[in-house]
Amino acid sequence: MEAEVLVKVEGVSKKFCKDLRTGLWYGVQDLFSNFLGNKHERKLREKEFWALQDINFELKRGECLGLIGHNGAGKSTLLKILNGLINPDAGKVTIKGRVGALIELGAGFNPILTGRENIYNNGAILGFSRREIDEKLEEIIAYAELSEFIDMPVQHYSSGMRVRLGFAIAAQMEPDVLLIDEVLAVGDLGFMLKCFKTIDQILPSTAIIFVSHSMPRVSRLCNEIILLENGNAKYQGKDIAAGIDLYYDRFLLNDKKMIFTDGTMELLEVQIISEKSSKREEIPVINWGGNLELVFTFNVLKKIQTPRLVVSIFDIEQKSVAVLEKKFISDASEINKGTLNLRIIHQNIQFSKGIYSLNIGLIKANSPGPIVRYSDFCKFQVLHDEDVWEPFILKTEY
Ligand SMILES: Nc1ncnc2c1ncn2[C@@H]1O[C@H](COP(=O)(O)OP(=O)(O)OP(=O)(O)O)[C@@H](O)[C@H]1O
């Protein structure tokens, strides 16, 4: 049997004004024009911009839609429209069933009421009777791990405690539709892991809309994504890897920065030996299982004791994933002024498919003090047929 459509979004647009006073004045004008039966003005007035433009999708029970995009792309605005916190300027949202939401810290909580009272309040808003909430109460408190503090006013909760309570209510009340802004997952690691386990458990009976900046998580949970850019759906579809690649494109430019120098040496160039360049911004490409071969050109400004080279490798989210063995850059104990070349090779690279960048430093011969450090010196791309979000694919014999 076809799963039922729980969320239907048709041509939804939302505009905001960059200036508060002008925005308030437009609000008053809109009120009058609505009163006279005119529809919302669809054209932009001075200082207005589209935070969302013509968004369309359908979501069935058991499906999870990932909303991705850079800061200010419109993700939270869409969640707020879905949750009924704000109205769209154009388009229509149809939702069937109960909506659980974790979208704004403290939203939906009355700060002067206790945690327990807020559970009753929120449960009632979700459409549950007092008896039904009574039945769920202990489960929610236990899930949020807040039994000691449940009779304290929510205004005295830490932000992590508020998120715990918010997620416990949103997820334990068996919603048909669950809206989650992962930015709010400020709970500690243990609670976050528990949340994701719960999401896995309720997914088959729920339609989930999940906003996240963590691409591995999006790819694990979601079966469809929308990549928002300036309020528009730049990509929408079920090919999660293609959407994520587009999202990452913005990070492709080299952003080489010297973080520290003591003035004795500089790095002029690093060449990554590669069979070909990627279409994506001429990045050198290495096939998985191939060699990472680097040729460095240094400029030695003063005669110094031979330093050691430190090369760390970062993934596209700037998480450090590996470091190459630290070695002296020459066999001689001292190096003279002038240029110096060095070739190093790491064989059989087993990173999974993706874009990586190099942080490079030189450290003094006899102390850990740095000579020079660069971040994001250059990038390379590893190719593999499989879209895998774990950091490595380890060569395996069967
Ligand atoms: N109430 C508001 N009044 C005016 N502008 C707003 C309002 N709410 C949001 N915006 C603007 O709308 C745009 C989209 O904001 P939104 O919060 O939806 O982005 P986001 O994709 O969730 O970003 P982030 O990843 O930083 O959470 C931004 O330019 C933001 O400044």
Side-chain angles (χ1 to χ4, degrees):
M1 198 180 73
E2 265 284 285
E4 62 184 317
V5 175
L6 295 183
V7 183
K8 193 166 183 183
V9 170
E10 296 163 275
V12 162
S13 298
K14 176 75 194 169
K15 60 187 174 181
F16 284 124
C17 185
K18 289 177 189 158
D19 173 82
L20 181 65
R21 274 176 59 182
T22 319
L24 288 172
W25 172 233
Y26 289 156
V28 174
Q29 286 179 340
D30 289 344
L31 263 180
F32 274 106
S33 111
N34 284 352
F35 183 70
L36 295 173
N38 298 330
K39 285 240 162 183
H40 271 163
E41 183 60 61
R42 285 175 193 226
K43 282 200 215 102
L44 289 183
R45 292 165 285 192
E46 210 190 323
K47 295 187 184 165
E48 282 187 324
F49 66 98
W50 290 111
L52 281 178
Q53 218 170 0
D54 197 20
I55 303 299
N56 297 280
F57 65 88
E58 273 186 9
L59 205 61
K60 293 180 183 151
R61 207 180 283 283
E63 290 182 334
C64 180
L65 171 74
L67 283 182
I68 62 172
H70 299 278
N71 291 138
K75 306 177 295 292
S76 309
T77 304
L78 184 52
L79 282 195
K80 285 181 195 160
I81 290 176
L82 292 170
N83 198 32
L85 286 173
I86 52 177
N87 288 322
D89 288 302
K92 194 171 149 204
V93 173
T94 318
I95 294 188
K96 277 195 205 156
R98 288 167 173 153
V99 182
L102 185 67
I103 64 175
E104 205 171 9
L105 196 56
F109 287 138
N110 184 332
I112 58 167
L113 298 183
T114 64
R116 187 188 303 272
E117 289 161 341
N118 269 295
I119 296 176
Y120 279 98
N121 254 3
N122 283 31
I125 292 169
L126 282 172
F128 287 94
S129 70
R130 192 173 174 93
R131 238 200 36 227
E132 284 172 307
I133 304 171
D134 282 342
E135 280 165 17
K136 288 268 172 205
L137 185 71
E138 287 313 314
E139 236 173 89
I140 293 173
I141 298 172
Y143 186 91
E145 298 164 31
L146 283 172
S147 51
E148 263 183 78
F149 301 100
I150 203 64
D151 292 309
M152 179 194 262
V154 163
Q155 61 186 340
H156 300 312
Y157 278 19
S158 70
S159 47
M161 286 159 82
R162 269 180 239 185
V163 167
R164 278 164 185 262
L165 188 62
F167 187 82
I169 299 171
Q172 295 297 304
M173 292 305 256
E174 293 163 17
D176 298 291
V177 177
L178 183 61
L179 312 174
I180 311 169
D181 196 335
E182 200 208 6
V183 176
L184 294 180
V186 293
D188 54 38
L189 182 64
F191 192 74
M192 230 162 80
L193 296 175
K194 186 160 144 182
C195 290
F196 284 106
K197 214 166 155 187
T198 305
I199 292 174
D200 277 340
Q201 282 162 353
I202 63 176
L203 180 57
S205 55
T206 317
I208 298 182
I209 297 170
F210 179 60
V211 168
S212 177
H213 290 284
S214 161
M215 297 307 119
R217 238 172 232 150
V218 166
S219 67
R220 197 177 69 75
L221 269 183
C222 304
N223 58 325
E224 181 171 352
I225 54 173
I226 296 183
L227 166 62
L228 286 173
E229 194 170 279
N230 299 324
N232 291 291
K234 186 176 177 194
Y235 173 84
Q236 177 165 2
K238 293 189 189 293
D239 187 348
I240 310 292
I244 291 177
D245 274 353
L246 271 179
Y247 169 79
Y248 279 145
D249 270 354
R250 207 201 257 195
F251 303 113
L252 286 185
L253 296 174
N254 276 334
D255 190 19
K256 172 168 76 179
K257 271 196 207 89
M258 185 197 279
I259 305 173
F260 176 85
T261 177
D262 72 355
T264 50
M265 277 187 79
E266 60 184 351
L267 180 57
L268 299 178
E269 194 195 0
V270 180
Q271 205 192 341
I272 299 181
I273 308 296
S274 139
E275 283 178 14
K276 52 187 175 195
S277 280
S278 145
K279 283 187 290 263
R280 297 167 76 191
E281 310 286 333
E282 306 291 301
I283 292 177
V285 164
I286 301 166
N287 287 314
W288 177 85
N291 297 338
L292 174 64
E293 189 176 349
L294 306 170
V295 180
F296 294 83
T297 308
F298 299 104
N299 188 15
V300 186
L301 301 161
K302 282 184 207 156
K303 179 173 172 174
I304 55 163
Q305 280 198 302
T306 304
R308 285 192 295 170
L309 176 69
V310 185
V311 180
S312 333
I313 304 176
F314 285 67
D315 70 8
I316 197 146
E317 294 186 349
Q318 284 301 303
K319 278 202 295 287
S320 123
V321 285
V323 62
L324 301 183
E325 276 180 288
K326 299 181 188 108
K327 285 276 161 72
F328 288 105
I329 63 170
S330 151
D331 292 336
S333 62
E334 284 186 330
I335 47 171
N336 290 316
K337 265 173 79 170
T339 42
L340 181 87
N341 290 309
L342 176 71
R343 177 176 165 277
I344 64 172
I345 188 160
H346 163 71
Q347 289 179 337
N348 186 11
I349 196 158
Q350 296 192 28
F351 291 158
S352 50
K353 169 186 160 175
I355 308 271
Y356 298 87
S357 67
L358 300 178
N359 279 21
I360 298 167
L362 289 168
I363 50 174
K364 289 180 182 153
N366 303 320
S367 70
I371 291 172
V372 65
R373 269 178 62 204
Y374 298 89
S375 79
D376 211 0
F377 200 95
C378 49
K379 290 188 163 67
F380 63 95
Q381 182 173 12
V382 174
L383 290 188
H384 193 283
D385 294 340
E386 270 188 80
D387 291 317
V388 162
W389 300 98
E390 286 77 9
F392 296 95
I393 301 180
L394 300 181
K395 209 163 221 166
T396 313
E397 283 173 22
Y398 283 85

